Amino acid sequence: MPKILIARNLPDNVVAEARALFDVDYRDSPAPMSRDEMVASLRDYDGVLPTLGDLYAADVFAEAGALRCRILANFGVGYNHIDVAAARAAGLTVTNTPGAVTDATADIAMTLMLMSARRAGEGERLVRAGGWQGWHPVQMLGLHLSGKTVGIVGMGRIGQAIARRCHFGFGMAVAYASRSEKALDFPATRHASPEALAAKVDVLVVAVPGGAETHHLIGEAVFAAMKPTAHFINIARGDVVHEAALIDALEKGVIAGAGLDVYEFEPAVPPRLMALENAVLLPHLGTAALEVREDIGRMAVANLRAFFAGEDVPNPV
Ligand code: NAP
């Protein structure tokens, strides 16, 4: 029976499903592995089920030397914490969990859009602080989303799920920037670059993967191109956005507001960002619902099962 490390706290029934198939060591912790733990995981297990924050950088594979491990079955669709080229060079297969995360993450994007546009975080803080004096016609006016234009940077699975919600739910026009033209089941206008897109939209949403190719894809030039009434939403990965440039743009009123689920140096959130009334800040809640996390876990376990049965893995990266 293959020996597997489950590297993080997971829903109970996912752990039980893995235990029925493998000799499982369960790392009972919500925190990422230390570097020493990651090196040991590659030496001591046939397969590892890691997740966000477990930084399998190239030097971790190099230090581990002769590896027992043959597969990293990532829990989650984003795998920018794994150096996939180094893993492959070391003979490992890497898998992820596309699809299971899509609707829940799109829902969090909508949550952030509505909260930022309608000043919900600011309003909630006002009520909790006992500062609310009562309704009046020109109090805390925000941006009305119905009929406005959303711009999606990265029209993949999650980008399309957000666009559908905006188009069919809110009557919004959809525009996007991506490397390739997409066959979409709703009307959408493609722009040549994030900057060109930014100039045309009322809400700009980022939904590209993290990693070297998209590092700081969104920075000062994008914020400068946006309308001063526009809102910026990031549910992708923090390092896609130049966070200092975003803070400048929010402080100076270059844009109206931002809704963030992810941060450049997560879980660190800069005090300047926390001080801003026009920023909605969530603690990476994209897929945080039990049934969604169970689906993600089952997909990761299914990748392990197929691999050790000698079948093609369902979700190679
Ligand atoms: P996906 O289907 O692969 O979509 C990503 C899109 O980004 C692709 O359609 C691609 O479009 C575009 N893209 C990829 N590389 C790019 C690059 N170098 N420059 C510009 N565009 C690029 O992935 P997904 O399932 O929608 O997930 C997207 C990301 O969301 C994940 O990688 C993950 O990091 C993040 N995520 C966050 C949460 C959360 O909890 N907040 C949850 C799930 C996922 P083109 O090829 O046409 O350019």
Side-chain angles (χ1 to χ4, degrees):
M1 206 183 233
K3 194 171 177 196
I4 301 294
L5 174 66
I6 293 182
R8 196 76 61 87
N9 288 140
L10 292 186
D12 292 343
N13 62 7
V14 174
V15 179
E17 198 170 309
R19 286 194 196 282
L21 294 167
F22 308 113
D23 173 9
V24 171
D25 274 354
Y26 179 53
R27 185 172 168 274
D28 188 3
S29 168
M33 285 186 278
S34 68
R35 188 192 153 82
D36 286 351
E37 286 177 299
M38 283 186 292
V39 169
S41 74
L42 295 172
R43 288 178 182 157
D44 298 344
Y45 295 90
D46 299 302
V48 180
L49 195 157
T51 191
L52 186 93
D54 297 325
L55 303 176
Y56 279 97
D59 57 354
V60 173
F61 297 98
E63 190 181 328
L67 307 186
R68 173 172 172 179
C69 186
R70 293 162 58 215
I71 177 168
L72 297 178
N74 189 56
F75 178 94
V77 69
Y79 51 83
N80 55 310
H81 51 285
I82 299 171
D83 186 325
V84 174
R88 284 201 193 113
L92 274 79
T93 294
V94 181
T95 62
N96 70 341
T97 63
V101 303
T102 302
D103 285 331
T105 310
D107 290 348
I108 282 293
M110 300 312 294
T111 306
L112 287 169
M113 280 174 58
L114 286 163
M115 286 186 72
S116 186
R118 299 299 300 277
R119 301 172 60 178
E122 192 183 344
E124 221 238 1
R125 284 188 290 277
L126 179 74
V127 173
R128 285 184 187 278
W132 186 40
Q133 303 291 320
W135 186 92
H136 69 80
V138 291
Q139 181 193 35
M140 288 199 69
L141 303 181
L143 178 76
H144 184 52
L145 280 185
S146 297
K148 296 294 191 304
T149 300
V150 65
I152 312 277
V153 182
M155 194 59 117
R157 286 172 294 253
I158 295 171
Q160 289 178 40
I162 296 166
R164 271 188 211 100
R165 282 158 171 73
C166 290
H167 174 71
F168 296 110
F170 291 83
M172 296 176 78
V174 176
Y176 69 103
S178 70
R179 296 171 303 180
S180 56
E181 184 89 43
K182 304 287 173 192
L184 302 168
D185 55 7
F186 48 83
T189 308
R190 186 170 170 220
H191 291 272
S193 66
E195 286 80 0
L197 176 69
K200 300 287 182 197
V201 302
D202 300 296
V203 183
L204 187 70
V205 186
V206 187
V208 297
E213 282 183 36
T214 56
H215 184 258
H216 287 185
L217 179 70
I218 307 295
E220 190 183 348
V222 169
F223 299 124
M226 287 172 71
K227 301 176 190 176
T229 50
H231 291 254
F232 174 76
I233 309 297
N234 186 8
I235 50 77
R237 282 291 181 267
D239 65 347
V240 176
V241 177
H242 192 301
E243 198 163 77
L246 171 62
I247 294 169
D248 281 347
L250 289 167
E251 284 179 347
K252 292 176 183 156
V254 175
I255 64 174
L260 307 175
D261 194 38
V262 289
Y263 304 88
E264 186 167 1
F265 304 104
E266 196 171 315
V269 178
R272 271 174 69 202
L273 190 53
M274 287 195 274
L276 286 167
E277 282 291 6
N278 58 348
V280 178
L281 310 175
L282 295 184
H284 205 143
L285 292 181
T287 61
L290 179 60
E291 66 191 76
V292 177
R293 293 278 163 84
E294 287 174 341
D295 285 349
I296 299 170
R298 275 194 282 268
M299 274 184 100
V301 171
N303 279 299
L304 288 169
R305 191 211 59 75
F307 180 83
F308 289 108
E311 301 166 11
D312 289 340
V313 290
N315 310 108
V317 301

